[in-house]
Amino acid sequence: MEKIEHTTVTTNGIKMHVASIGSGPIILFLHGFPELWYTWRHQLLSLSSLGYRCVAPDLRGYGDSDAPPSPESYTVFHIVGDLVGLLDALGVDKVFLVGHDWGAMIAWNFCLFRPDRIKALVNLSIPYHPRNPKVKTVDGYRALFGDDFYICRFQVPGEAEAHFAQMDTAKVMKKFLTTRDPNPPCIPRETGLKALPDPPALPSWLSEDEINYFATKFSQKGFTGGLNYYRAMNLNWELMAPWTGLQIQVPVKFIVGDLDITYHIPGVKEYLQNGGFKKNVPFLQELVVMEGVAHFINQEKPQEISMHIYDFIKKF
């Protein structure tokens, strides 16, 4: 880990912290919530040893990157703009892209907006769903799962932060990273995060030191930056109208665990398996469902995910 370089890049009006290691073709890794560049620690080491330069930023709002206060500063256009500026700062034209969770959603949009900058994409956990012109994103989730669904509960500025503040940050991280319940996560207003189960013990793939790295950064930065991604979802829906119906036009490998909450949203399994996903992602080359694996797949199965990435991108 001490070989990983840490730099700050100015891009799109913010300062972005970037972790990188290795030399060769660039792989750009995009993390999710509540995570950091550190999510990709295993992949950075594995894939840099195989001849790639691995680059993992703290996305806007996270870790050691700037965190503008307003939710309106967290649209997919802001985040993809940050990343285009990062590629320009690195002096690189095209990269391999890897995303997980919110990073996967950003990656899909990166491919919609700037397919000219992407050689190929490996995305984890969140499949591409084209914009539904009839229903705003958060409204759709509320209709499916009710007001207590975590995405709905995250909408009001300050409310989720207050729930998070009632609990030690390391415990918050443990609750999120170790969850293996594929049912939709609900956070009732009365109980907050206490409604999410406590892990009996840390799994073998996650250490106290690793939890503490995340906890230290979130204690310093707070969770508002990450939560603002959710608060910009309906704004994204409005702004994305010109891209309605567009397909993803880059080569794609998609990987999901069969215990992932996203895999158990009604209709998702059928969408992935019965041709709907392939219709919207016509250059989908591989679809992998990993058995017995939950949402934080790249941390839970680091070697397998690194090999899945390598086996795909080495073709290009």
Side-chain angles (χ1 to χ4, degrees):
M1 292 290 288
E2 62 275 4
K3 293 180 182 175
I4 294 174
E5 305 162 30
H6 294 271
T7 54
T8 300
V9 171
T10 300
T11 170
N12 196 24
I14 66 163
K15 287 186 168 61
M16 174 178 267
H17 165 248
V18 181
S20 60
I21 184 172
S23 59
I26 290 182
I27 311 172
L28 177 61
F29 294 89
L30 308 180
H31 68 79
F33 177 89
E35 298 179 89
L36 303 161
W37 75 268
Y38 190 70
T39 292
W40 301 107
R41 57 199 178 278
H42 305 296
Q43 286 75 35
L44 295 184
L45 298 177
S46 297
L47 290 157
S48 63
S49 73
L50 294 170
Y52 292 89
R53 180 156 183 77
C54 298
V55 176
D58 282 332
L59 295 177
R60 169 185 293 240
Y62 287 94
D64 294 320
S65 293
D66 283 350
S70 168
E72 287 76 25
S73 297
Y74 290 82
T75 72
V76 288
F77 296 95
H78 290 88
I79 316 300
V80 174
D82 297 344
L83 298 169
V84 170
L86 171 60
L87 298 195
D88 291 345
L90 295 172
V92 61
D93 185 38
K94 299 181 84 159
V95 295
F96 295 110
L97 192 58
V98 179
H100 170 256
D101 187 77
W102 258 108
M105 285 190 266
I106 298 302
W108 293 124
N109 285 299
F110 200 153
C111 293
L112 280 184
F113 302 156
R114 294 302 302 271
D116 59 306
R117 306 300 295 263
I118 309 300
K119 294 178 188 175
L121 168 65
V122 180
N123 245 356
L124 314 179
S125 295
I126 309 288
Y128 174 62
H129 286 281
R131 177 181 181 272
N132 179 349
K134 296 177 182 173
V135 183
K136 291 185 178 183
T137 311
V138 177
D139 301 3
Y141 283 121
R142 186 171 280 116
L144 264 179
F145 300 123
D147 288 334
D148 288 343
F149 185 56
Y150 76 106
I151 290 175
C152 304
R153 186 60 65 220
F154 285 173
Q155 293 303 309
V156 179
E159 184 177 289
E161 288 91 332
H163 286 315
F164 283 49
Q166 292 170 359
M167 195 174 289
D168 175 71
T169 309
K171 190 169 184 180
V172 172
M173 295 309 305
K174 288 176 184 178
K175 278 180 178 277
F176 275 103
L177 293 178
T178 63
T179 181
R180 304 188 70 72
D181 182 356
N183 294 304
C186 288
I187 304 175
R189 180 175 277 124
E190 308 74 41
T191 56
L193 291 179
K194 293 173 185 156
L196 300 178
D198 289 327
L202 282 182
S204 59
W205 50 269
L206 195 58
S207 72
E208 290 286 351
D209 284 347
E210 289 169 321
I211 285 288
N212 288 336
Y213 185 91
F214 284 110
T216 298
K217 293 298 181 184
F218 279 103
S219 293
Q220 293 166 354
K221 179 73 81 178
F223 289 92
T224 298
L227 292 165
N228 278 342
Y229 285 66
Y230 296 93
R231 292 165 186 161
M233 286 176 98
N234 276 354
L235 179 56
N236 282 331
W237 179 87
E238 293 177 26
L239 297 173
M240 289 288 293
W243 286 266
T244 300
L246 213 59
Q247 297 172 315
I248 301 293
Q249 299 285 342
V250 305
V252 171
K253 178 174 188 170
F254 181 72
I255 309 169
V256 66
D258 70 351
L259 296 178
D260 196 317
I261 56 169
T262 62
Y263 191 58
H264 289 266
I265 290 173
V268 166
K269 289 180 192 176
E270 295 76 13
Y271 172 67
L272 289 174
Q273 305 289 354
N274 296 345
F277 184 50
K278 175 75 172 174
K279 181 181 175 188
N280 293 319
V281 187
F283 298 101
L284 177 70
Q285 297 190 11
E286 296 180 57
L287 171 62
V288 179
V289 180
M290 294 178 69
E291 291 186 14
V293 185
H295 181 66
F296 294 93
I297 188 167
N298 48 312
Q299 297 187 70
E300 184 179 345
K301 294 290 182 184
Q303 286 78 27
E304 292 92 327
I305 292 299
S306 294
M307 284 303 99
H308 272 302
I309 294 167
Y310 176 67
D311 288 342
F312 186 60
I313 66 174
K314 69 182 182 185
K315 303 174 188 174
F316 298 95

